Amino acid sequence: MSSEFGSVLRVGLFGQSHGRAVGVTMQGLPAGESIDMAELEAFLERRRPGRNELSTARVEPDKPVFLSGLLEGKTCGSPLCAIIENLDARSRDYEELLDKPRPGHADYPAFVKWGGEADLRGGGHFSGRLTAPLCIAGGIAKQILARRDIFVGAHLSSVAGIPDESFPAQPSSELFRTVAEKEFSVLDDAAGKRMQAAIRAASREGDSVGGVIECAAAGLPAGLGEPMFGGIENRLSAALFGIPAVKGVEFGSGFGAALLRGSENNDPYRVDGNGQVAIETNHAGGILGGISTGQPILLRVAMKPTPSIAKPQRTVSLSKMENAELAIRGRHDPCVAHRAVPVVEAVTAIVLLDLLLEGKQGWI
Amino acid sequence: MSSEFGSVLRVGLFGQSHGRAVGVTMQGLPAGESIDMAELEAFLERRRPGRNELSTARVEPDKPVFLSGLLEGKTCGSPLCAIIENLDARSRDYEELLDKPRPGHADYPAFVKWGGEADLRGGGHFSGRLTAPLCIAGGIAKQILARRDIFVGAHLSSVAGIPDESFPAQPSSELFRTVAEKEFSVLDDAAGKRMQAAIRAASREGDSVGGVIECAAAGLPAGLGEPMFGGIENRLSAALFGIPAVKGVEFGSGFGAALLRGSENNDPYRVDGNGQVAIETNHAGGILGGISTGQPILLRVAMKPTPSIAKPQRTVSLSKMENAELAIRGRHDPCVAHRAVPVVEAVTAIVLLDLLLEGKQGWI
Amino acid sequence: MSSEFGSVLRVGLFGQSHGRAVGVTMQGLPAGESIDMAELEAFLERRRPGRNELSTARVEPDKPVFLSGLLEGKTCGSPLCAIIENLDARSRDYEELLDKPRPGHADYPAFVKWGGEADLRGGGHFSGRLTAPLCIAGGIAKQILARRDIFVGAHLSSVAGIPDESFPAQPSSELFRTVAEKEFSVLDDAAGKRMQAAIRAASREGDSVGGVIECAAAGLPAGLGEPMFGGIENRLSAALFGIPAVKGVEFGSGFGAALLRGSENNDPYRVDGNGQVAIETNHAGGILGGISTGQPILLRVAMKPTPSIAKPQRTVSLSKMENAELAIRGRHDPCVAHRAVPVVEAVTAIVLLDLLLEGKQGWI
Amino acid sequence: MSSEFGSVLRVGLFGQSHGRAVGVTMQGLPAGESIDMAELEAFLERRRPGRNELSTARVEPDKPVFLSGLLEGKTCGSPLCAIIENLDARSRDYEELLDKPRPGHADYPAFVKWGGEADLRGGGHFSGRLTAPLCIAGGIAKQILARRDIFVGAHLSSVAGIPDESFPAQPSSELFRTVAEKEFSVLDDAAGKRMQAAIRAASREGDSVGGVIECAAAGLPAGLGEPMFGGIENRLSAALFGIPAVKGVEFGSGFGAALLRGSENNDPYRVDGNGQVAIETNHAGGILGGISTGQPILLRVAMKPTPSIAKPQRTVSLSKMENAELAIRGRHDPCVAHRAVPVVEAVTAIVLLDLLLEGKQGWI
């Protein structure tokens, strides 16, 4: 069950950072859905490494190759598999790390779990590089959703404590597109400049910073999801914690709701001009009892600072069982939050598409 | 998939608040485990309603009846089913609510999903009452874990913004027991008194407050869990969001990690006095790459304020499709966070037991 | 995963033969479906023990009690739980068996698996008694299907080698009803008499006989199911082998197809009088590539002879680890095939309903 | 859920017959297992097309390429993906078939399910070609099992009604190896010659024949599997019906058990010379109550005659909705049963490995 998720639509990842390729399989994708390859590649470009000084110097074209699931540019109902070859893998940088587990990385628990058998070069299967095929699946899901007027967008809610604005109550697809086209995914570009300065400052000191990503999905109909353990929050959080470095997930007011009174946090119902039920506020993040309310789904994800830093760190030598010091060379991002913005969109889109595919589990 | 969770150990809930009984099934429970009924009932007592003025006036003895899965007080390897009969259900209080969805409750999305077919009396299957059978499963899981020196405990991290102390780095089973025996689950009783005053104040105003619960699990060995989507965080969060009113889940430093630098947030490794790998701090909450590090699992859960409040609220009449006002009578908790403390323990214990049962999926 | 099956509709069984109750949970049942209790009880009556000399002398009223999932006689969208109390359990008959595993029963592998912890009184969770709650779920599924003009019926294809007629190419709901109302489920009553004589003859000799059950489902639309491992045959067989004593499952021509040539076994397509595609024969049993063709689903299930026989048998004493002899007293069926007829219908109906609930997993 | 199976070990297939590649992912494979590539390729060679006149003229080298999951020839604990490129696909042969569904193939139900969107060239994802990557997974599973002295072997039990001998009660790994090395997988070569003559005779007449495959697994310990729906028979049959053309599955005496009396079909227990429990016969096929008895697992699978035949067949034109005639050119096997022998071994090995990986789900 490790690297798969989903119910009707099952997405599975494979690959190690320094192996031959990373890839994704999608089982349960509906047939007859066109995939706009240019749009998909533009989406992948948003998380690609090596684009600028804010991210790792590893340069990968990240061009997806589709092995199955398509017929003349459209999904054909059978499992889709797409891969991205690893071209710029430099494993020599990582040899020391096999003996000295990097603090904040999975090296040590992976060593306990698999002994020396795990492929930890470049983080192996734990690497952020696995988010590239995840974005292939997510980019496809986004296109299928957009065709039904369901739009998913995200931005950096904060980096190193520097806040961006929040999404408006009813974010539009235009707003999502505007943010997606920016090189740095914020609503307020002035805040974005301050964030970038903070990332560069940390980088110069051989250090890293964390951030928070806010994601919204507009257009989802009310009534999707299940009570208890099959709810939208359950399923989104289960998938979002699969993104490396995520340490918290909240919906709507989230942790802030714990500070409010019921009379403040409850979202009142009103009849709108069209004689439809409208919801005035969205403290619920579009979800009550696990089920969509018709309001935008709203969530925030906390990303820890990149654990790979140049600064010397205390660790141990597993072979000598003695204290050791470690200075990680390699090529690393001083912040992963900005590259993770499309990944959060990808995961959100996949989970919502899965929910929609279940939606008519009503009846033939 | 609605009301079930787990992999090797599958826990499923059933029942509606005003139906004949609520109950739980446990599939995959190991055989030969004794269940101490007195201890289990003491655990259930911690979340039982009607114990004091801080919780709903509904009085339920909440005595579990075991229909299957036991032989002479021990699990026998076949599915366990336990039920709690509903005795004090007063459905007349809820008739108005079928037409006027309560803000902050699942009434409206449930209406969209199921039309008028859902049983929403007292919240139906969405009711917090379902956490009673969840605690039966969790109490059993806690006993099985404790027999292997794995202990789970929780306390109110904050209520209405009033903070308790945090758990120490290495919380002991004694500390967990001490907190569990208190009527109000805090480390610092003075803080607890202020919290209770805040709850009473909200109650007097016909309002409610939220809170945050901190939960820790000590004694879990390193190396459990999976990368990507099968990680401990994924599985715990997926289950924890099944507890009614949870709107956020974080591990270790959580959202706070987004404010730290990598050099601050990384937990250094050291060789301890016994020649074992030790971890100095626990910003990771005991989990790296989805896998346990051997440090205590540490998580926090945000509970929104109880949506049922006596204050008049704006809603709609679904039959007349016009604006309406609603004042919820019934019997409700001005705060659910303190009663949810054992529920968070229950869910955490179930998920960790499931992980442990997978743990030796190694080999015959 | 033990005692559950299904995808959208998940059916789980619990209970031991001599425990307090046996029962069933159904998760994922659609809301708003009426349950005709009289019809359900008539269906349960068909497998009930103690009806005549051909079945075990254990007398159980087998009256289901619904604990959840219903509101005013209709499903309410939340999990359904129904139980049947065990009233006539005589555990004293089984004491010897704990030491001397009965040939043909699960006693010995259960002993290896769980040591002495399993509850094997009366077969425990392995008992045919678990098919009673399975029939509750199946009876409900049959009613929901019938409301959509999908009908499931079965009969004894053979007992002790004595054959009944086969179902016609297009079995009608009337035919299914006629067979269901018979005390002995055959198409040809003269064959049925010979079968009953064979059962009685075996019973007199302290022995037992096996049989084959043929089941058909008419009215299922074409296009349901999945290729490879999610096909209708995969899912039906996985569930059918859950019925105690089943040792073989075949679809359409089944093992007989291995004797035919392609030109004989292929079912030709024709345009019928309404301009629709028709299929002339049904060697495929209504399934090609795992997907329904629109022809009736047709399957056969081989039931081994009841392993509990009065004749002395060779076994071992596990405590003394020496050869032993065993004469099973207790109360047992000289043939289980005739009582299993409604059970095969039940399982088939549950799996087909599950498939239908997935069917529109198309789109919202 | 379509093209995946397994619990701890999840095997997923992807690819279309005339697409770029077919492939397999394996999630949950244990780390540190060597893969002998020469042995694996020899296993794949057994089902490869184009080896002789008895199989399709399509020539494919079927050389697997491993994209992930290996480190220096050993499994590394992360998901394995292997692919086989499609080189000799001639889609022009199949154009007519898109309009005229081939009797006995999935064309028509696939058309109903996906409209014109399915890729049915060469059978698409329904093609027997998908059994090539299935054999990669199965070949790996066989090697891992053999390292624990668990051996899986199969042979043609019959072709066109011509019977081979049966496996002996305790088949040895040597016997399995001898059969595997034969070009035609039978125990009795004289019978094999008659089978081949029958295949050639059918081929000359533009027709095809079916067959039965017998598979055994020796060395599996007692106590694996679960009662009811998680039993070995349930899981094996669910996977075996995923092999194209399988229409029946039976265990031990199977359908023959329905003809026996209990006193004949029950397998007596004896204490053997080592003071261990021994089982004299194996009518149960090594499985009682879903759980392994320690005897060899024994099963038979019925394969229908290849539906693709050169003889003219009656079908319809879907575009004109009129009756039509179809003579399939292309390249097809006059019998698939002999090429399916290693596929049955593959599926059996995968399911048993999955069971074993669950086996120690006992405890940490």
Side-chain angles (χ1 to χ4, degrees):
Chain A
M1 284 268 205
S2 47
S3 299
E4 289 184 301
F5 68 109
S7 165
V8 174
L9 173 63
R10 284 193 62 77
V11 170
L13 299 180
F14 58 85
Q16 300 110 251
S17 182
H18 291 195
R20 183 156 177 166
V22 292
V24 63
T25 53
M26 302 179 79
Q27 307 240 10
L29 207 51
E33 296 291 333
S34 299
I35 300 182
D36 181 327
M37 286 296 168
E39 190 179 319
L40 181 62
E41 291 183 16
F43 181 65
L44 294 177
E45 181 70 15
R46 288 172 59 197
R47 74 149 289 290
R48 198 170 59 75
R51 287 198 305 160
N52 56 42
E53 60 172 332
L54 296 176
S55 69
T56 167
R58 177 172 176 174
V59 181
E60 292 281 6
D62 278 4
K63 181 99 176 173
V65 176
F66 286 84
L67 299 180
S68 71
L70 294 185
L71 180 67
E72 295 166 16
K74 289 161 81 177
T75 57
C76 68
S78 49
L80 184 147
C81 181
I83 62 170
I84 295 174
E85 288 189 84
N86 291 325
L87 301 174
D88 186 24
R90 304 185 196 161
S91 294
R92 67 189 175 284
D93 293 343
Y94 291 92
E95 274 164 35
E96 182 186 16
L97 308 182
L98 295 179
D99 182 45
K100 298 183 189 167
R102 294 166 299 173
H105 273 287
D107 302 354
Y108 173 67
F111 171 81
V112 174
K113 187 175 183 73
W114 291 296
E117 309 290 2
D119 177 4
L120 295 177
R121 300 168 302 156
H125 188 62
F126 293 90
S127 166
R129 181 142 184 77
L130 268 292
T131 58
L134 187 53
C135 280
I136 297 176
I140 291 171
K142 281 189 67 166
Q143 292 187 23
I144 297 176
L145 290 172
R147 213 165 285 145
R148 274 84 182 174
D149 289 326
I150 300 169
F151 299 96
V152 176
H155 71 108
L156 282 164
S157 179
S158 73
V159 165
I162 300 160
D164 190 18
E165 293 167 12
S166 293
F167 272 134
Q170 298 292 339
S172 65
S173 60
E174 290 71 34
L175 177 63
F176 291 156
R177 193 178 317 118
T178 304
V179 175
E181 284 168 358
K182 293 184 183 185
E183 201 176 326
F184 199 79
S185 304
V186 285
L187 299 174
D188 172 1
D189 292 330
K193 290 220 169 78
R194 288 194 296 277
M195 293 179 190
Q196 293 177 65
I199 296 172
R200 274 189 294 262
S203 181
R204 277 192 303 270
E205 296 171 38
D207 215 332
S208 63
V209 294
V212 174
I213 295 165
E214 183 179 59
C215 182
L220 199 73
L224 289 169
E226 296 283 335
M228 308 290 318
F229 308 106
I232 301 183
E233 289 139 325
N234 309 253
R235 292 165 65 155
L236 276 169
S237 70
L240 289 164
F241 276 111
I243 304 173
V246 170
K247 295 303 281 188
V249 172
E250 62 178 12
F251 296 87
S253 301
F255 278 85
L259 304 172
L260 299 177
R261 286 208 164 174
S263 57
E264 297 166 314
N265 190 62
N266 286 350
D267 300 310
Y269 297 104
R270 295 283 86 179
V271 177
D272 70 12
N274 304 314
Q276 303 292 313
V277 175
I279 309 181
E280 290 200 330
T281 52
N282 192 11
H283 294 100
I287 308 162
L288 287 172
I291 304 179
S292 60
T293 64
Q295 285 280 78
I297 302 295
L298 194 71
L299 63 89
R300 274 174 305 278
V301 161
M303 310 284 301
K304 72 179 183 184
T306 325
S308 288
I309 55 176
K311 268 191 178 172
Q313 298 185 81
R314 282 170 296 159
T315 182
V316 295
S317 160
L318 292 170
S319 60
K320 302 183 192 154
M321 231 0 143
E322 62 182 29
N323 287 336
E325 193 166 89
L326 178 72
I328 299 173
R329 288 185 300 272
R331 300 160 298 176
H332 299 286
D333 294 284
C335 178
V336 290
H338 59 294
R339 283 183 59 208
V341 170
V343 184
V344 170
E345 291 178 20
V347 169
T348 302
I350 292 166
V351 172
L352 296 184
L353 177 57
D354 188 26
L355 267 168
L356 276 160
L357 289 168
E358 281 185 357
K360 278 282 189 190
Q361 275 183 346
W363 206 234
I364 195 144
Chain B
M1 285 265 206
S2 48
S3 299
E4 290 183 301
F5 68 109
S7 165
V8 174
L9 173 63
R10 284 190 65 76
V11 170
L13 300 180
F14 58 84
Q16 299 112 251
S17 182
H18 290 194
R20 184 156 176 164
V22 293
V24 64
T25 54
M26 301 179 79
Q27 308 242 7
L29 208 50
E33 296 290 333
S34 299
I35 299 181
D36 181 326
M37 287 295 166
E39 189 180 321
L40 180 62
E41 291 182 15
F43 180 64
L44 294 177
E45 180 70 14
R46 288 172 59 199
R47 71 149 291 290
R48 198 170 60 75
R51 288 198 304 160
N52 57 41
E53 57 170 335
L54 296 176
S55 68
T56 169
R58 177 173 175 172
V59 182
E60 292 281 7
D62 279 3
K63 183 98 175 171
V65 176
F66 287 83
L67 299 181
S68 70
L70 296 185
L71 180 66
E72 294 165 17
K74 290 163 80 177
T75 58
C76 67
S78 48
L80 183 147
C81 180
I83 62 171
I84 295 174
E85 289 189 82
N86 290 325
L87 302 175
D88 186 23
R90 302 185 197 163
S91 294
R92 66 187 177 286
D93 292 342
Y94 291 93
E95 273 163 37
E96 181 186 16
L97 307 181
L98 296 179
D99 182 44
K100 297 183 188 168
R102 294 166 297 173
H105 273 287
D107 302 354
Y108 173 66
F111 171 81
V112 173
K113 189 176 181 75
W114 291 296
E117 309 290 3
D119 177 3
L120 295 176
R121 299 169 301 158
H125 188 61
F126 293 90
S127 166
R129 181 140 182 78
L130 269 292
T131 59
L134 186 54
C135 280
I136 297 176
I140 291 171
K142 283 188 65 165
Q143 291 187 23
I144 297 176
L145 291 172
R147 215 166 283 145
R148 275 84 183 173
D149 288 325
I150 300 168
F151 299 96
V152 177
H155 70 110
L156 282 164
S157 180
S158 73
V159 164
I162 300 159
D164 189 19
E165 293 167 12
S166 294
F167 272 135
Q170 299 291 341
S172 65
S173 60
E174 290 71 33
L175 177 62
F176 291 155
R177 195 179 315 118
T178 305
V179 175
E181 285 168 357
K182 294 184 183 184
E183 199 176 330
F184 199 78
S185 304
V186 286
L187 300 174
D188 172 1
D189 292 331
K193 290 221 169 74
R194 286 193 296 277
M195 293 178 190
Q196 292 176 67
I199 296 171
R200 274 189 293 261
S203 182
R204 277 191 303 268
E205 298 171 35
D207 216 333
S208 63
V209 294
V212 174
I213 295 164
E214 185 178 59
C215 181
L220 198 73
L224 288 170
E226 296 284 335
M228 308 289 319
F229 307 107
I232 301 183
E233 288 140 323
N234 309 253
R235 292 165 66 153
L236 275 170
S237 71
L240 289 164
F241 275 111
I243 304 173
V246 170
K247 295 303 281 187
V249 173
E250 62 179 13
F251 296 88
S253 300
F255 277 85
L259 303 173
L260 299 177
R261 286 210 164 172
S263 58
E264 297 166 315
N265 191 61
N266 285 348
D267 300 310
Y269 297 105
R270 295 283 85 179
V271 177
D272 71 11
N274 304 315
Q276 302 293 313
V277 176
I279 309 180
E280 290 200 329
T281 51
N282 192 12
H283 294 101
I287 309 162
L288 287 173
I291 304 178
S292 61
T293 65
Q295 286 279 81
I297 303 294
L298 193 71
L299 62 91
R300 272 173 306 279
V301 162
M303 310 284 301
K304 71 179 183 184
T306 325
S308 288
I309 55 176
K311 267 191 180 174
Q313 297 185 83
R314 280 170 298 158
T315 183
V316 294
S317 161
L318 292 169
S319 59
K320 302 182 192 155
M321 235 353 146
E322 61 181 30
N323 287 335
E325 194 166 87
L326 178 72
I328 301 174
R329 287 182 303 270
R331 302 159 297 176
H332 299 285
D333 294 284
C335 179
V336 290
H338 60 292
R339 286 182 56 207
V341 170
V343 184
V344 170
E345 292 178 19
V347 169
T348 301
I350 293 166
V351 172
L352 295 183
L353 176 57
D354 188 26
L355 267 167
L356 276 160
L357 289 168
E358 280 184 359
K360 279 282 190 191
Q361 274 183 346
W363 209 233
I364 196 142
Chain C
M1 283 272 204
S2 47
S3 299
E4 289 183 301
F5 68 109
S7 165
V8 173
L9 173 64
R10 284 192 65 76
V11 169
L13 300 180
F14 58 85
Q16 299 110 252
S17 182
H18 291 195
R20 183 157 177 164
V22 293
V24 63
T25 54
M26 303 179 79
Q27 307 242 8
L29 207 51
E33 296 290 334
S34 298
I35 299 181
D36 180 327
M37 286 296 168
E39 190 181 319
L40 180 63
E41 290 182 17
F43 181 65
L44 294 177
E45 181 70 15
R46 289 173 59 199
R47 73 149 290 291
R48 199 170 59 77
R51 287 199 303 161
N52 56 42
E53 59 172 333
L54 297 175
S55 69
T56 168
R58 177 172 175 173
V59 182
E60 291 282 5
D62 278 3
K63 182 97 174 172
V65 176
F66 287 83
L67 300 180
S68 69
L70 294 185
L71 180 66
E72 294 166 16
K74 291 162 79 178
T75 59
C76 67
S78 49
L80 183 147
C81 181
I83 63 170
I84 295 174
E85 288 189 85
N86 292 325
L87 302 174
D88 185 23
R90 303 186 197 161
S91 294
R92 66 188 175 285
D93 291 343
Y94 291 93
E95 272 164 36
E96 182 185 17
L97 308 181
L98 296 180
D99 183 45
K100 298 183 188 166
R102 294 167 297 173
H105 272 288
D107 302 355
Y108 173 67
F111 171 80
V112 174
K113 187 176 183 73
W114 291 295
E117 309 290 2
D119 176 4
L120 295 176
R121 299 168 303 157
H125 188 62
F126 293 89
S127 166
R129 182 142 182 77
L130 269 291
T131 59
L134 186 54
C135 281
I136 298 176
I140 292 171
K142 282 188 67 165
Q143 292 187 22
I144 297 176
L145 290 172
R147 213 166 284 145
R148 274 84 181 174
D149 288 325
I150 300 168
F151 299 95
V152 177
H155 71 110
L156 281 165
S157 179
S158 73
V159 165
I162 300 159
D164 190 16
E165 294 167 12
S166 293
F167 272 135
Q170 299 291 340
S172 66
S173 59
E174 289 71 34
L175 177 63
F176 292 156
R177 194 177 314 117
T178 305
V179 176
E181 284 168 358
K182 294 184 183 184
E183 200 176 326
F184 199 76
S185 304
V186 286
L187 299 174
D188 173 2
D189 292 330
K193 290 219 168 77
R194 287 194 297 277
M195 294 179 190
Q196 293 175 66
I199 296 172
R200 274 189 293 262
S203 181
R204 278 192 302 269
E205 296 172 36
D207 216 332
S208 63
V209 294
V212 174
I213 296 164
E214 183 178 60
C215 183
L220 199 72
L224 288 171
E226 296 283 334
M228 309 288 320
F229 308 106
I232 300 183
E233 287 139 326
N234 308 255
R235 292 164 66 155
L236 275 169
S237 71
L240 288 164
F241 276 111
I243 303 173
V246 170
K247 295 304 280 188
V249 173
E250 62 179 12
F251 296 87
S253 301
F255 277 85
L259 303 172
L260 299 177
R261 285 210 165 172
S263 58
E264 297 166 315
N265 191 61
N266 285 349
D267 299 309
Y269 296 104
R270 293 283 86 179
V271 177
D272 70 11
N274 303 313
Q276 302 292 314
V277 176
I279 308 180
E280 289 200 330
T281 52
N282 192 12
H283 294 100
I287 308 163
L288 287 172
I291 304 179
S292 60
T293 65
Q295 285 280 81
I297 302 295
L298 194 70
L299 61 91
R300 274 174 305 279
V301 162
M303 310 284 302
K304 71 179 184 186
T306 325
S308 288
I309 55 176
K311 268 191 178 173
Q313 298 184 82
R314 283 169 297 159
T315 183
V316 295
S317 160
L318 293 170
S319 60
K320 301 183 191 153
M321 230 2 142
E322 63 182 29
N323 287 337
E325 194 165 89
L326 178 71
I328 299 174
R329 288 184 302 271
R331 302 159 295 175
H332 300 285
D333 294 284
C335 177
V336 290
H338 59 293
R339 284 182 58 207
V341 171
V343 185
V344 170
E345 292 178 20
V347 169
T348 301
I350 292 166
V351 172
L352 296 183
L353 177 57
D354 189 25
L355 267 167
L356 276 160
L357 289 168
E358 280 184 359
K360 279 279 189 191
Q361 274 181 348
W363 207 235
I364 195 142
Chain D
M1 284 266 207
S2 48
S3 299
E4 291 184 299
F5 68 109
S7 165
V8 174
L9 173 63
R10 283 191 67 75
V11 169
L13 299 179
F14 58 86
Q16 299 112 251
S17 182
H18 290 195
R20 185 157 176 164
V22 292
V24 64
T25 53
M26 301 179 80
Q27 307 242 10
L29 209 48
E33 295 291 333
S34 299
I35 299 181
D36 181 326
M37 286 295 166
E39 189 180 321
L40 180 62
E41 291 182 16
F43 181 65
L44 293 178
E45 181 70 14
R46 288 172 59 200
R47 72 150 291 288
R48 198 171 60 76
R51 288 198 305 162
N52 56 41
E53 58 171 333
L54 296 175
S55 68
T56 168
R58 178 173 174 172
V59 182
E60 293 280 7
D62 278 3
K63 182 97 176 172
V65 176
F66 287 83
L67 299 181
S68 70
L70 296 185
L71 180 67
E72 294 166 17
K74 289 162 80 177
T75 59
C76 67
S78 49
L80 183 146
C81 181
I83 62 171
I84 295 175
E85 288 189 83
N86 291 326
L87 302 174
D88 186 23
R90 303 184 197 164
S91 294
R92 67 189 173 284
D93 292 343
Y94 291 93
E95 273 164 37
E96 182 187 16
L97 308 181
L98 296 180
D99 183 43
K100 298 182 187 167
R102 294 167 297 173
H105 273 287
D107 302 355
Y108 173 67
F111 171 81
V112 173
K113 189 177 181 74
W114 292 295
E117 310 290 3
D119 177 4
L120 295 176
R121 299 168 302 157
H125 188 62
F126 293 90
S127 166
R129 183 143 181 75
L130 269 291
T131 58
L134 186 54
C135 280
I136 298 176
I140 292 171
K142 282 188 66 164
Q143 292 188 22
I144 297 176
L145 290 172
R147 214 165 284 144
R148 275 84 183 174
D149 288 325
I150 300 168
F151 299 96
V152 176
H155 71 109
L156 282 164
S157 181
S158 73
V159 165
I162 301 159
D164 190 19
E165 293 167 10
S166 294
F167 273 135
Q170 299 291 339
S172 65
S173 59
E174 290 70 33
L175 176 63
F176 291 155
R177 194 178 314 118
T178 304
V179 175
E181 284 168 358
K182 294 184 183 185
E183 199 175 329
F184 199 78
S185 304
V186 286
L187 299 174
D188 172 1
D189 292 330
K193 288 220 170 75
R194 288 194 297 277
M195 293 179 191
Q196 292 176 66
I199 296 172
R200 273 189 293 262
S203 181
R204 277 192 301 271
E205 298 171 36
D207 216 332
S208 63
V209 294
V212 174
I213 296 164
E214 183 178 60
C215 182
L220 198 73
L224 287 170
E226 296 283 334
M228 309 287 319
F229 308 106
I232 301 184
E233 289 140 324
N234 309 254
R235 292 165 65 153
L236 275 170
S237 71
L240 289 164
F241 276 111
I243 304 174
V246 170
K247 295 304 281 186
V249 173
E250 62 178 12
F251 296 88
S253 301
F255 277 85
L259 303 172
L260 300 176
R261 286 209 165 173
S263 57
E264 298 165 315
N265 190 61
N266 285 348
D267 300 309
Y269 297 103
R270 295 283 85 179
V271 176
D272 71 12
N274 304 314
Q276 303 292 312
V277 175
I279 309 181
E280 291 200 328
T281 51
N282 192 12
H283 294 100
I287 308 161
L288 287 173
I291 304 179
S292 60
T293 64
Q295 286 279 82
I297 302 295
L298 193 70
L299 61 92
R300 273 173 307 280
V301 163
M303 309 284 300
K304 71 179 182 184
T306 325
S308 289
I309 54 176
K311 267 192 181 171
Q313 297 185 82
R314 282 170 297 158
T315 183
V316 294
S317 160
L318 292 170
S319 59
K320 301 181 191 155
M321 234 354 146
E322 62 181 30
N323 287 335
E325 194 165 86
L326 178 72
I328 300 175
R329 289 183 302 270
R331 302 160 296 178
H332 299 286
D333 294 284
C335 178
V336 291
H338 59 292
R339 285 183 57 208
V341 171
V343 184
V344 170
E345 291 179 19
V347 169
T348 301
I350 292 167
V351 172
L352 295 183
L353 176 56
D354 188 26
L355 267 167
L356 276 159
L357 289 168
E358 280 183 0
K360 279 282 190 192
Q361 275 180 346
W363 210 231
I364 195 139

